[in-house]
Amino acid sequence: MEIKDSAIKRILVTTSNKSQHIKCFMLMMAFIYAFLLLLSLLMPLNNSAFTSFPINNLPDQLDHLKPDQILKLHWIHSRLSLDNDQLTAIVTGHPPILSYDIEKRLEPAITFYEDALRVCVEDTDNDNTKDDGNCNATDDVVRDKLILLLCKSPQLLEYNVKKRLTPRLERVRATLGQHIIIDEETLKIIATKTDSRFDEWLYNSSSSSSSSSRGNGARRNDISEHQDDESRQPHSYIVLSNLQSGSNIGNILRSASIFGCKELIVVGQKRYRLTGDHGSRFDLKRHHVYSHEEAKIYLKSKGVRIYGVEIIEGAQPILQYDQETGITKFPFKRQYKGGAAFLMGNEGEGLSQKQMGICDEFIFIPQTRGGSVDGGGSSSLNVACAATVILQAYCLWAGYPIAQRHGEKFVASKGANH
């Protein structure tokens, strides 16, 4: 028995030692993995490529970026030779840029716009570029034009080159001639217009260009159409904040585009799901800010009055009609030349305290029937439906022109809202 007991003890000790070795090995492997993970996160920040990048001079909005975002920030800065103000304008104007793949999205898009603008520069300044042989001068002009374009419209980098930009450019040249001058405004149209509006623009441009150049060989370089109609004032804005439903967001964008909104102000949300916008996000200019206070500062710099849409004490009805006099009253005032911005509340909770804090006034949509304590009816409109009613009412008050109709649909045409 003693022999057996001794053998069993040796087996138990050996097994115990092996278990301890395995535990030590597993602990050591976990430590190595954690060290390598930490090293991989810190390496981009210590990379010598960043030593020449003046990142300390960037605004506070860009201080919280992740290492992979900083890498893309540096790439954009180096690729376009930007200064800090230009880089900030592009990145804060369209933050999703920092989520785009460099090889698949950013580089192809930048190259596309460069090539298109280079043809424009060389075609409009043939004598200087060919006689002097100064290719650097051409490159500098192209770069300056591209930077100015992206600072104003950084969302141009979101469009797919193979599926959208190149096919459309080829259609433009096939329709209007290979020597058509593709300037910055034309590039914006090629990139941003919905399919139906692009088709109509191309048809109108072809008709007007052929009539103006018939018999005189004139170059067709006056085809650009400004999307922002500055004569349509006062302007309207939508502030997009704290909404959850992609369908609601998409339908708000659709209504904003239809009723002539000048710009969409996005607070906090860098990316959001869209359903049912029918391509309106391509027509509507967007400006991104990181807080409601920034949104207020931006809108106030334009002289815009901010209206919170909420059923609270002191809120004014969006429209009042006097049956005796036939007079319709709106809560808006002509003294605010910059126009009005409308801030919509969350689907369930309505406007938050932070949202209310930036509002100058509050408005609501009068209902014929409300919700009951027993659960019947509804106490408020869907947020997208409410936005549609508000924007259409403002459209009437501001006197925006009505778009032309073709058959059973309204169409985008010169002289109308777009």
Side-chain angles (χ1 to χ4, degrees), residues 269-337:
Q269 297 166 285
K270 295 181 182 180
R271 299 184 68 84
Y272 40 82
R273 296 179 293 112
L274 294 175
T275 306
D277 71 302
H278 285 244
S280 298
R281 63 184 182 274
F282 300 133
D283 287 339
L284 195 60
K285 182 180 178 183
R286 282 169 286 169
H287 179 79
H288 183 274
V289 293
Y290 286 87
S291 68
H292 292 96
E293 189 60 31
E294 284 184 64
K296 179 179 179 179
I297 293 172
Y298 176 74
L299 290 168
K300 289 303 176 183
S301 70
K302 298 177 176 293
V304 176
R305 191 77 166 168
I306 303 175
Y307 293 87
V309 182
E310 189 63 275
I311 310 170
I312 61 174
E313 189 70 27
Q316 301 181 68
I318 188 65
L319 183 150
Q320 297 180 80
Y321 176 72
D322 189 321
Q323 290 185 335
E324 293 185 3
T325 63
I327 295 176
T328 301
K329 293 183 180 180
F330 298 89
F332 314 114
K333 301 176 181 65
R334 296 285 175 184
Q335 66 192 73
Y336 303 111
K337 303 296 184 181

Side-chain angles (χ1 to χ4, degrees), residues 214-225:
R214 187 177 295 118
N216 57 17
R219 291 191 306 180
R220 293 169 286 186
N221 62 349
D222 56 347
I223 63 172
S224 296
E225 176 190 350

Side-chain angles (χ1 to χ4, degrees), residues 190-208:
I190 290 173
T192 61
K193 279 192 176 293
T194 57
D195 289 340
S196 60
R197 286 174 177 165
F198 175 75
D199 291 340
E200 183 178 6
W201 169 84
L202 190 58
Y203 174 79
N204 291 337
S205 298
S206 175
S207 300
S208 60

